[in-house]
Amino acid sequence: DAKTTQPTSMDCAEGRAANLPCNHSTISGNEYVYWYRQIHSQGPQYIIHGLKNNETNEMASLIITEDRKSSTLILPHATLRDTAVYYCIVRVNFGNEKLTFGTGTRLTIIP
Amino acid sequence: ETGVTQTPRHLVMGMTNKKSLKCEQHLGHNAMYWYKQSAKKPLELMFVYNFKEQTENNSVPSRFSPECPNSSHLFLHLHTLQPEDSALYLCASSSRTTGSTEAFFGQGTRLTVV
């Protein structure tokens, strides 16, 4: 699986949009971008994934650049409950379902 | 509630003890995983089971012994562990046969080896 690079930590004011970047310059054509988050001492939670088109669900939006070398996860109206470590993972969708976690971005929502 | 249940949530065991961690999923998934998360480290994949067959062992020491009796249950048998094995052990499941490919994680078992 391709390697990803994320900032170690970020802060965001409550109620504002949180934009979390991820670089994946070695991504190959059949690899998807996945985002998970882990709230302290809990299991990771799936957020969203995409291949090349932008995606949106009830939790977040995923913006993938045209060359697919980077992406941004957007939490449109951050709340204190969004404080967590956010992981960007690149993987193929079938044939290799394992997830390789990096160190992620520790997002802190400030009241 | 993710549909993946792990028991116990907390476990303290001595180095000579034998214990088992249990994971159960009611999502109809056919792939199950064990991950380990030590303090200040990323999650590490330990084992992968697909359709009850072990398809990956990520160089895990033999003191950790997984068992997958059916697609809904996964166990991790522990014996003669070391203090450095203290960690959060996470179980996950996913489907290999539907369009949904995201993994669902349990809440984990916090293991302390004394």
Side-chain angles (χ1 to χ4, degrees), chain A residues 20-40:
Chain A
L20 292 94
C22 179
N23 286 326
H24 31 78
S25 58
T26 61
I27 192 170
S28 55
N30 64 344
E31 288 182 312
Y32 287 68
V33 180
Y34 278 75
W35 283 84
Y36 283 76
R37 73 180 182 184
Q38 186 175 22
I39 295 170
H40 182 62

Side-chain angles (χ1 to χ4, degrees), chain A residues 7 10-12 16-22 35 61 63 71-76 78 105 107:
Chain A
M10 291 179 64
D11 292 339
C12 178
R16 305 295 295 267
N19 297 286
L20 292 94
C22 179
W35 283 84
S61 294
I63 308 298
S71 60
T72 301
L73 177 75
I74 301 172
L75 307 178
T105 296
L107 175 68

Side-chain angles (χ1 to χ4, degrees), chain B residues 5-6 28 39 48 51 61 70 82 84 87 91 104 106 108 114:
Chain B
T5 304
Q6 290 187 242
V48 180
F51 296 96
N70 54 62
Q82 304 298 311
E84 59 265 29
C91 172
F104 291 80
V114 297

Side-chain angles (χ1 to χ4, degrees), chain B residues 13-56:
Chain B
M13 61 184 288
M15 289 188 284
T16 58
N17 290 160
K18 289 184 180 181
K19 296 286 184 183
S20 295
L21 309 185
K22 179 182 177 183
C23 176
E24 186 172 358
Q25 57 95 1
H26 301 286
L27 301 168
H29 290 165
N30 39 45
M32 297 187 78
Y33 315 78
W34 280 116
Y35 284 84
K36 173 184 177 182
Q37 189 172 33
S38 303
K40 311 281 188 190
K41 288 187 178 180
L43 281 85
E44 303 169 62
L45 179 67
M46 299 175 74
F47 301 103
V48 180
Y49 277 81
N50 285 302
F51 296 96
K52 303 187 296 178
E53 298 297 321
Q54 186 181 124
T55 55
E56 185 145 351

